[in-house]
Amino acid sequence: MNPEHYRLLEQARRSLPDGYKVELSGDVIVMQASPPLIHQLNLALVQRQFEAHCPAGYFPTGNSDLSSSEVGAVRNPDLTYLPVDVVDLAGRSIPAELALIAVEIVSPSNPDNDWAGKVRDYPRTGFPLYLIVDPRQKTVTLFSEPNRDRYHTRTEREFGERIHIPEPFGFDLDLSALVPYRD
């Protein structure tokens, strides 16, 4: 990644109040305010199910910067699973290709970040799976089988159904308790 981009990213983080999330996508810095409670609830419901199927040697994390110098992106998924040994990288950038999945709960204020920017960036940065929970549309979409610039497979389900999460997790995610955004 361009050192100047990283400097600008850090400068943006220092200038914002607590509760803001800052990411880099190419030459664009993306900033978002703290998510609403429905966002947090849906994230917790999804994370609990993933934790029951987390492979040994991995742990869940949110708010971790994952980067790709090839793509020039620093992304910060709502939830991802990283190998325990990344703690040795403290203070350094964590390579995105080490993550098992990126999970995002769509923000009501900036859905294009999840549906356009991250659909573009995540396969390019090496995320093997990308799960989008969209409380606006009451849908969950799983992107899988990435190559250099896109995911080959897209599976979509509605709240109330189940969606299969492939290995290394290998389970059916129950979507029945997810909560849509209220108008």
Side-chain angles (χ1 to χ4, degrees):
M1 177 170 52
N2 180 332
E4 179 65 11
H5 287 156
Y6 191 72
R7 188 187 67 72
L8 290 171
L9 185 67
E10 288 305 311
Q11 184 178 2
R13 284 196 175 121
R14 285 191 302 274
S15 68
L16 291 172
D18 286 344
Y20 277 82
K21 188 175 185 176
V22 181
E23 299 175 312
L24 178 68
S25 177
D27 291 333
V28 177
I29 293 178
V30 180
M31 295 179 267
Q32 285 185 254
S34 295
L37 284 177
I38 288 175
H39 178 284
Q40 298 299 85
L41 173 61
N42 285 329
L43 182 59
L45 292 168
V46 169
Q47 183 171 345
R48 284 182 193 140
Q49 293 182 66
F50 268 92
E51 286 186 13
H53 303 278
C54 179
Y58 285 81
F59 70 101
T61 182
N63 298 317
S64 293
D65 284 341
L66 304 175
S67 67
S68 170
S69 57
E70 292 177 24
V71 177
V74 175
R75 289 300 195 165
N76 193 309
D78 290 329
L79 174 65
T80 191
Y81 285 81
L82 295 171
V84 172
D85 61 3
V86 300
V87 297
D88 295 336
L89 296 175
R92 291 184 287 175
S93 185
I94 299 170
E97 65 268 10
L98 296 177
L100 297 178
I101 190 169
V103 177
E104 298 288 359
I105 312 298
V106 173
S107 166
S109 63
N110 190 8
D112 287 345
N113 187 37
D114 296 318
W115 280 110
K118 292 178 182 180
V119 168
R120 178 194 63 239
D121 287 350
Y122 282 168
R124 294 168 54 202
T125 56
F127 286 95
L129 302 170
Y130 176 28
L131 185 75
I132 302 176
V133 177
D134 193 337
R136 300 166 318 126
Q137 303 296 322
K138 302 177 194 167
T139 61
V140 175
T141 304
L142 177 68
F143 292 93
S144 59
E145 299 183 42
N147 74 359
R148 292 184 185 269
D149 62 346
R150 68 182 186 93
Y151 289 103
H152 285 288
T153 303
R154 175 183 173 146
T155 305
E156 187 169 296
R157 298 288 183 269
E158 294 182 1
F159 282 21
E161 298 180 332
R162 293 179 166 280
I163 191 167
H164 182 72
I165 307 299
E167 295 299 335
F169 298 98
F171 75 103
D172 288 341
L173 180 66
D174 182 0
L175 312 177
S176 64
L178 295 175
V179 179
Y181 290 134
R182 298 181 176 105
D183 295 328

